Every structure is written in structure tokens, then in C-alpha cells.
């Protein structure tokens, strides 16, 4: 499915023309869905003579645990995957994401949001017609406070997140319809493929730096993809909608746009998608029960 890029596999001037990554979050043990994602990316890198990167996405320091990170390495070894070292662990690089946030601040495209979850939920209940559903829940649009109000809240030590002002971002980028496009070599959940126009407005004003983490998955992910020279983002189609926002962030931060290859999701015998929270059978459990890698590959259709 990703082989249209197979002729980019030559190393030219020391630059690898195919770099992909598997970027799990160590919030639980990996399952067959992760095995499919990791092996799909790894196989594509090998076919293209490119590089495969493993990245640990652990900005959520309350949910991520070192023992799950260790388990990721064990699972990857069991899957016979070789990855580039050193492995980038996002929690070691909060300063990089803070730097990207500074760039967004300099473009005046983010604002502080002091609202609590409850206040936001109440606003949404009062005016549901203003907040249609987006990929991360209701498309909430906040407001920038006056400088005086901000100063007083900051003086009280009130916690805040940084939200991206979608209206301001779109005003900066103007209405060039070709600017916010991306190439999809796989497919989104509705079969979206080819040259796709990004519609980041489906996110409302998304949180770009969380109250607790000083960054967000979106910001950290686009920064790292650029920093690590990722040319092909290969991941599950559940993450397809995030690409709309990632393209916008890349444009605002002057980062290159990788090619995207979203893949189908693996389901169990009942057609239910594997998920960490449902206690899906883990790779560790399969390994311990004597299942082989060859059997795993057959089970996930590789
Ligand atoms: N860390 C994300 C996850 O575990 C993956 C993000 C990505 O591949 O862009 O769902």
C-alpha cells in the first residue's frame, strides 16, 4: 500500500529518503493493534531501504509508566523489529516543545485559557449548537482575556492551558486553498485518500499546551516528526482526523509536511477494535502463552 514511494529509497547525499516511526504511549501493555502498526511501518521502511524510528510518547506523566516503556522494548524485540537508537523519549524534551509554543506565541496565534473542565462543560451545555462534535469532543472556541484580567489571574497562580485561535491561524494563512493540503497514501476511516485539503477548523480552538504538560500530543508529535526527519507517518486510521490539525501546526511552525499513510485497524473475532482500556489480549500474554511471531503476523494479516 505504501510502495508508491519505494523509488525514494536511495540514500542521496547522506539523506535517507524514507524515515517512518512507531510512536506508542507507555500507558499500558501493547496489543495486536500495536503489533500491526509497528510491523506495517517496519515492513515499509525495510522495503524502501529506509529507517524505522521508535519514539516514546510519554508527555502525560500521570498515565505513562516506566514499566510500560520497558514492556514496549520487549515487545518490539519479540516482533523482531530493529529500531534506530537512541530512542527519543518525549518527556526528556519538554524544552523543545516549549520552544515551539514560543514560536506560536510570537505569531500571536495562541491564547491562555483559564477555564476549568466544568466551566467549559457548562458553556457547552448552555449552547450546544455552537459546539458541534469534533475529533476531540465538542468544537470549543474560547476567548482571549483582556491583559488586565490575565494579569490578575496569573498573580493568583491560576492554572491555564494554551489554546490555538483557529480564527487567527486561518487569518494568518490566508485563503490559499493549496497551502493546507496533505498527501494520504493509505486511507482515512471514510476512505479518504490522495491529495486532501486539511480542515483544522473541526477542532474548534484546540488545546496546544495542556495545563499539566506544557505541551500536547499534537505539538510534540509535529515537532518530533520534523526533528527526526520523518518522511512517512504510518499509523492507524483512528489518528487520521488529527492530521488536519497537524498540517496547520506544521504550516504555522514552518515545518515540512510528511506523507501520511493511515492504515486499517485490527479487530478481534467480534469485530471490536483492540484498545488498551478493554484489557485486549496483550503481546506479552501472547508471547507467554507460546504464540510465535509467524502466528502473530498471520493473525493480523501481514
Ligand atoms: N502516541 C500515539 C498513540 O499511542 C500515536 C501518535 C501517532 O502515531 O501520531 O496513540
Amino acid at each position: 500500500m505504501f510502495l508508491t514511494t519505494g523509488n525514494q529509497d536511495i540514500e542521496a547525499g547522506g539523506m535517507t529518503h524514507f524515515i517512518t516511526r512507531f510512536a506508542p504511549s507507555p500507558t499500558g501493555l501493547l496489543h495486536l493493534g500495536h503489533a500491526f502498526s509497528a510491523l506495517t511501518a517496519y515492513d515499509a521502511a525495510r522495503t524502501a531501504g529506509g529507517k524505522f524510528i521508535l519514539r516514546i510518547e510519554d508527555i502525560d506523566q500521570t498515565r505513562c509508566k516506566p514499566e510500560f516503556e520497558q514492556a514496549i522494548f520487549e515487545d518490539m524485540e519479540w516482533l523482531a523489529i530493529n529500531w534506530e537508537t537512541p530512542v527519543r523519549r518525549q518527556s526528556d524534551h519538554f524544552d523543545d516543545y516549549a520552544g515551539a509554543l514560543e514560536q506560536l506565541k510570537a505569531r500571536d496565534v495562541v491564547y491562555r485559557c483559564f477555564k476549568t473542565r466544568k466551566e467549559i462543560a457548562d458553556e457547552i451545555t448552555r449552547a450546544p449548537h455552537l459546539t458541534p462534535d469534533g475529533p476531540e469532543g465538542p468544537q470549543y472556541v474560547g476567548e482571549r482575556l483582556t491583559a488586565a484580567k490575565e494579569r490578575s489571574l496569573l498573580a493568583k497562580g491560576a492554572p491555564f492551558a494554551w489554546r490555538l485561535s483557529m480564527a487567527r491561524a486561518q487569518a494568518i494563512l490566508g485563503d490559499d486553498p493549496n497551502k493546507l493540503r496533505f498527501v494520504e497514501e493509505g486511507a482515512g476511516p471514510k476512505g479518504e485518500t490522495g491529495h486532501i485539503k486539511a480542515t483544522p477548523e473541526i477542532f474548534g480552538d484546540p488545546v496546544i499546551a495542556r495545563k499539566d504538560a506544557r505541551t500536547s500530543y499534537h505539538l510534540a508529535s509535529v515537532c518530533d516528526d520534523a526533528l527526526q526527519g520523518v518522511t512517512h507517518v504510518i499509523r492507524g486510521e483512528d489518528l487520521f482526523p488529527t492530521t488536519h490539525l497537524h498540517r496547520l501546526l506544521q504550516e504555522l511552525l514552518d515545518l515540512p509536511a510528511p506523507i501520511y499513510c493511515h492504515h486499517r485497524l485490527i479487530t478481534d473475532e467480534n469485530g471490536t477494535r483492540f484498545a488498551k482500556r478493554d484489557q485486549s489480549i496483550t503481546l506479552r500474554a501472547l508471547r507467554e502463552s507460546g504464540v510465535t511471531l509467524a502466528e502473530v503476523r498471520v493473525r493480523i494479516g501481514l
Side-chain angles (χ1 to χ4, degrees):
M1 137 164 97
F2 309 122
L3 300 188
T4 55
T5 46
N7 57 359
Q8 295 184 353
D9 58 357
I10 356 117
E11 298 237 345
M15 295 266 292
T16 300
H17 280 215
F18 189 108
I19 302 180
T20 190
R21 72 344 181 247
F22 173 57
S25 297
T27 55
L29 294 173
L30 303 188
H31 49 64
L32 282 174
H34 295 108
F36 182 74
S37 213
L39 286 169
T40 300
Y42 184 58
D43 290 352
R46 276 201 312 178
T47 306
K51 284 190 186 168
F52 173 88
I53 290 170
L54 169 64
R55 182 165 77 222
I56 302 295
E57 298 209 327
D58 62 343
I59 58 161
D60 188 336
Q61 293 279 278
T62 53
R63 291 174 60 227
C64 293
K65 302 267 182 294
E67 59 265 34
F68 293 135
E69 179 182 309
Q70 188 49 40
I72 289 172
F73 296 130
E74 287 165 19
D75 289 340
M76 299 283 287
E77 269 177 32
W78 183 54
L79 295 174
I81 287 177
N82 296 313
W83 59 91
E84 301 283 314
T85 52
V87 169
R88 186 170 172 92
R89 182 192 292 119
Q90 289 190 324
S91 62
D92 294 335
H93 299 280
F94 280 117
D95 287 350
D96 287 343
Y97 316 131
L101 180 63
E102 286 306 316
Q103 274 178 264
L104 296 175
K105 284 189 213 168
R107 298 197 81 171
D108 196 26
V109 77
V110 286
Y111 61 89
R112 290 186 181 88
C113 175
F114 292 87
K115 297 222 167 108
T116 60
R117 272 171 198 270
K118 164 124 184 38
E119 284 167 334
I120 292 175
D122 289 347
E123 270 182 51
I124 291 170
T125 314
R126 278 197 300 275
H129 57 288
L130 294 179
T131 51
D133 266 349
E136 295 186 323
Q139 293 173 22
Y140 180 74
V141 177
E143 59 180 339
R144 194 187 291 258
L145 299 179
T146 61
K149 235 179 181 164
E150 274 202 354
R151 264 199 308 277
S152 104
L153 285 167
L154 289 172
K156 283 188 218 151
F160 60 87
W162 287 95
R163 282 185 188 272
L164 184 78
S165 164
M166 196 55 72
R168 168 93 182 124
Q170 290 185 323
I172 291 178
L173 294 181
D175 49 14
D176 178 354
N178 291 318
K179 217 165 199 172
L180 277 191
R181 290 191 164 269
F182 60 95
V183 175
E184 174 60 60
E185 289 196 346
K190 296 186 190 126
E192 302 94 328
T193 193
H195 289 256
I196 296 179
K197 182 180 178 325
T199 54
E201 56 278 9
I202 56 174
F203 280 84
D205 281 0
V207 170
I208 286 305
R210 292 159 38 159
K211 278 182 186 166
D212 59 340
R214 294 187 294 137
T215 182
S216 58
Y217 152 62
H218 305 296
L219 188 59
S221 176
V222 297
C223 287
D224 284 354
D225 284 340
L227 247 152
Q228 296 188 292
V230 170
T231 59
H232 292 72
V233 171
I234 299 176
R235 62 184 176 192
E237 64 178 31
D238 52 329
L239 288 165
F240 176 83
T242 65
T243 312
H244 292 284
L245 177 55
H246 294 187
R247 275 296 298 124
L248 176 63
L249 289 175
Q250 286 153 358
E251 213 51 45
L252 290 169
L253 292 166
D254 274 327
L255 301 176
I259 289 171
Y260 288 87
C261 313
H262 289 92
H263 60 67
R264 67 191 166 88
L265 299 178
I266 294 294
T267 55
D268 64 17
E269 41 298 321
N270 306 317
T272 313
R273 171 186 149 196
F274 289 103
K276 281 180 190 152
R277 59 186 171 279
D278 314 328
Q279 318 265 289
S280 300
I281 302 176
T282 63
L283 298 182
R284 176 179 287 176
L286 291 170
R287 179 163 70 246
E288 285 173 356
S289 68
V291 171
T292 65
L293 172 56
E295 286 162 345
V296 167
R297 278 192 172 266
V298 169
R299 166 68 185 81
I300 58 185
L302 287 176

